[in-house]
Amino acid sequence: MFNYRLYTTAATACVGGLLFGYDTGFIGSATQMASFERDFGLNSSNSANIKGNIVATLQAGCFFGTIFMSFFTARYGRRWGMALASLIFNIGAVLQVVTVGDLNLLYVGRAISGLGVGAASMLTPTYLSEVAPRRIRGKLGTAYGFSIFFGITISYWIDYATQQSLSSEGHLQWRVPMGLQLVPGALLFFGALVIKESPRWLIKNGNREKALDNLCYIRMAHPEDAELQQEYQDVCFSIDEELRVSHGATISEMFLPQNRIRVLIGFWIMVAQQLGGTNALTYYAPLLFTKIGLTGTSSSLFATGVYGIVKSVFSMLFLLFLAERAGRRLPLFIGAITMSAAMIIIGVVLACKPPPADAASPSSASIAMIVMVYVFCVSYSMSWGPVPFTYVSEIYPNRIREYCVAMGLATQWAFNYCISRIVPIAMQNIGWGTFLMFGIFNTVIAVFVFFVIRETSGVALEHMDNLFSTGFFMKPSQWNLRKPILIGNGDVLESADLEDLDAKNIKAIHMEDVESTISAH
């Protein structure tokens, strides 16, 4: 079941994350360049507002792109959705490259590219969750997060290289990073033409023969293979049952009692991802590094590039070693606590020991704050960076997954927009209070994870109904932060409890875990 076709398919889809990461990462550093500020008329009085607008127009486009793509992909499939998303994105990228000094055209280009980025951000995790075997669904979801961070890292270092090597007298210093957006856009377009359509989408749309063919291709298995047939039949049964219960309803199913709890949880987890403060650093890392004591554009861009590398390295480590072992709940909880501590420390140190305006080198207080920025980065890269995308793509019923994922991602982009508009103004007006605000948000988020977020690692997509049957808040038996063994009603079983358990009476979610543990006893 685990083979090169599966991983090649996943890698092709993850180009959508590379596009997402590059486009959100390069703009914050590009707008700090002297050539950009000169060409677009930025000065001390309008800089914060214009930079916020340039960043935020992408998020506005992403919001609408996510919503539009949910309807398009429901009818025409995941592959054609990816192709369309990349085409729209490239149109916007071209408009950004050709403009010089025209802010309105730049805004239009950013908004159009945002339509494509938002569409890709909705499609990629949806597609990955639908083609991934449940045992590695977390790894493939984390791979999407890694591709975002990798795109951000590449954009940071390209910005740094162009700032160092190209003259600020011309336009190439900021145009080269903008033009390179077209590379992931083109890769996604051609990749979408060669990957196979999601078998789950084909089953939902009545093309079951083609679905079985695609599943056999992706799994590199014979149609009569017992494991493949079991997976295929589970999906068919789940969709048939959903059709029977919903009587042909589609988007309105999101508000049915058995679904709206998950819709609400998906909404809040994406809000929490943005309120944690990561995009304040992603978009405005050079500005924030300058604020805490790094002087000079080159120094702040270099520190930003290192920040991107740290993100990529630790998200890869999480992907390789912890994505399935740690599950979903524990990384989100520990990540929120650590991120909260880092932000609060930065805020307190900045309030008590602000860096001198004329300092030739960073003070010890500034170095401490820079270290906390990287601590925040490591924590985010192994928790709130990759996990929410996996989580919102796996908890919903097959029939309405694209609508629910679109709602979650639209929420993410809406709050992303708010953060991108607020941060430069907040840094200008309340300074250290910005970090303290994010620290408090992360503390509240940790409480939310402890009482609400279920463990979904290893749970088949067709069995999520049982896991969320207890309402918005979990039962006390589900509060354990260790990766649990879950049974049909969402209860948690410890290994010691299995001696008295009849395996035949278990409506299993982690059946392979239950059976292996029972056999050990």
Side-chain angles (χ1 to χ4, degrees):
M1 291 293 178
F2 309 118
N3 59 79
Y4 78 90
R5 283 183 187 167
L6 172 64
Y7 292 112
T8 302
T9 298
T12 302
C14 281
V15 175
L18 185 66
L19 180 149
F20 178 175
Y22 186 90
D23 210 55
T24 55
F26 89 90
I27 194 66
S29 298
T31 57
Q32 292 290 105
M33 296 178 185
S35 59
F36 184 92
E37 293 182 338
R38 181 201 65 233
D39 288 346
F40 290 95
L42 275 66
N43 54 53
S44 57
S45 63
N46 65 16
S47 177
N49 188 53
I50 291 177
K51 288 177 181 178
N53 288 337
I54 292 170
V55 172
T57 48
L58 180 84
Q59 280 74 54
C62 289
F63 176 83
F64 292 105
T66 300
I67 295 172
F68 162 75
M69 188 50 65
S70 67
F71 295 98
F72 181 91
T73 191
R75 182 168 183 177
Y76 297 106
R78 315 310 188 207
R79 290 177 63 237
W80 292 116
M82 290 183 195
L84 180 62
S86 61
L87 185 62
I88 293 172
F89 170 82
N90 284 332
I91 293 171
V94 169
L95 291 178
Q96 293 174 61
V97 174
V98 300
T99 181
V100 175
D102 188 344
L103 277 173
N104 291 327
L105 185 58
L106 180 62
Y107 291 153
V108 170
R110 292 287 291 169
I112 292 174
S113 285
L115 292 172
V117 172
S121 73
M122 174 263 168
L123 282 166
T124 302
T126 301
Y127 181 79
L128 288 174
S129 72
E130 291 182 343
V131 301
R134 61 174 171 155
R135 280 173 285 175
I136 62 166
R137 195 173 62 239
K139 281 191 174 182
L140 294 189
T142 303
Y144 173 64
F146 168 76
S147 68
I148 295 174
F149 298 153
F150 187 60
I152 291 171
T153 303
I154 291 173
S155 73
Y156 286 163
W157 284 105
I158 287 174
D159 281 336
Y160 178 72
T162 56
Q163 193 273 337
Q164 290 289 99
S165 60
L166 298 177
S167 171
S168 61
E169 297 301 317
H171 310 304
L172 288 179
Q173 196 179 64
W174 59 265
R175 256 185 170 168
V176 169
M178 279 195 178
L180 288 174
Q181 296 176 87
L182 292 163
V183 175
L187 288 174
L188 182 62
F189 178 81
F190 290 111
L193 300 180
V194 299
I195 60 175
K196 294 292 184 180
E197 184 56 81
S198 161
R200 281 183 168 87
W201 181 85
L202 289 168
I203 292 171
K204 188 183 75 171
N205 285 272
N207 197 345
R208 302 199 173 192
E209 183 178 347
K210 182 65 174 177
L212 183 59
D213 289 343
N214 283 9
L215 191 62
C216 291
Y217 178 87
I218 295 170
R219 300 287 188 266
M220 290 185 69
H222 191 273
E224 301 303 321
D225 181 88
E227 187 176 352
L228 182 137
Q229 275 294 324
Q230 183 62 55
E231 180 180 4
Y232 175 74
Q233 295 300 331
D234 281 349
V235 178
C236 290
F237 175 81
S238 173
I239 291 175
D240 288 341
E241 185 65 13
E242 289 167 6
L243 283 168
R244 184 187 67 80
V245 172
S246 63
H247 303 292
T250 52
I251 194 169
S252 61
E253 293 176 49
M254 292 173 60
F255 307 103
L256 295 176
Q258 65 267 33
N259 295 331
R260 60 188 175 214
I261 294 300
R262 279 176 278 179
V263 171
L264 192 59
I265 290 173
F267 171 85
W268 282 113
I269 198 170
M270 298 314 292
V271 171
Q273 187 192 47
Q274 294 308 303
L275 294 184
T278 182
N279 280 325
L281 291 167
T282 298
Y283 296 129
Y284 301 110
L287 173 64
L288 297 178
F289 277 121
T290 301
K291 187 72 177 180
I292 62 179
L294 273 182
T295 58
T297 303
S298 294
S299 297
S300 61
L301 289 180
F302 182 82
T304 301
V306 174
Y307 178 84
I309 289 176
V310 172
K311 259 189 171 184
S312 295
V313 168
F314 281 91
S315 64
M316 176 57 77
L317 292 175
F318 182 77
L319 164 66
L320 294 176
F321 302 111
L322 292 174
E324 295 300 343
R325 295 180 184 177
R328 317 287 189 257
R329 232 169 97 72
L330 184 62
L332 290 177
F333 182 78
I334 294 177
I337 293 294
T338 310
M339 289 157 60
S340 175
M343 282 292 188
I344 291 173
I345 290 171
I346 294 171
V348 170
V349 173
L350 186 59
C352 299
K353 296 281 187 179
D358 57 349
S361 59
S363 65
S364 57
S366 292
I367 293 173
M369 288 186 284
I370 292 168
V371 169
M372 286 298 104
V373 168
Y374 290 124
V375 168
F376 177 94
C377 175
V378 170
S379 301
Y380 175 81
S381 301
M382 302 181 78
S383 59
W384 283 93
V387 175
F389 293 109
T390 302
Y391 201 82
V392 299
S393 67
E394 68 186 358
I395 64 175
Y396 303 116
N398 287 308
R399 274 178 51 75
I400 57 171
R401 181 171 292 113
E402 58 264 17
Y403 300 119
C404 295
V405 172
M407 186 227 58
L409 269 297
T411 300
Q412 187 253 9
W413 286 116
F415 278 82
N416 198 323
Y417 173 88
C418 295
I419 294 298
S420 66
R421 291 294 289 118
I422 289 170
V423 168
I425 298 170
M427 290 303 302
Q428 196 172 60
N429 291 283
I430 61 175
W432 60 268
T434 308
F435 297 99
L436 191 61
M437 173 183 71
F438 286 126
I440 294 170
F441 284 157
N442 278 301
T443 301
V444 175
I445 289 167
V447 176
F448 164 71
V449 171
F450 189 83
F451 290 105
V452 174
I453 299 300
R454 278 77 163 166
E455 181 56 65
T456 58
S457 175
V459 180
L461 296 181
E462 289 68 44
H463 295 152
M464 290 292 175
D465 288 350
N466 299 315
L467 191 61
F468 291 88
S469 62
T470 59
F472 186 76
F473 294 101
M474 292 184 293
K475 296 185 294 186
S477 64
Q478 296 173 301
W479 290 351
N480 195 323
L481 286 169
R482 291 177 296 171
K483 183 178 174 181
I485 295 171
L486 301 166
I487 62 174
N489 61 2
D491 286 334
V492 175
L493 296 176
E494 302 294 341
S495 297
D497 298 329
L498 294 175
E499 292 180 344
D500 302 322
L501 192 65
D502 181 0
K504 294 180 181 179
N505 292 329
I506 300 174
K507 184 179 180 182
I509 294 176
H510 284 193
M511 180 57 86
E512 72 274 17
D513 294 336
V514 174
E515 288 176 342
S516 62
T517 310
I518 292 176
S519 62
H521 286 285

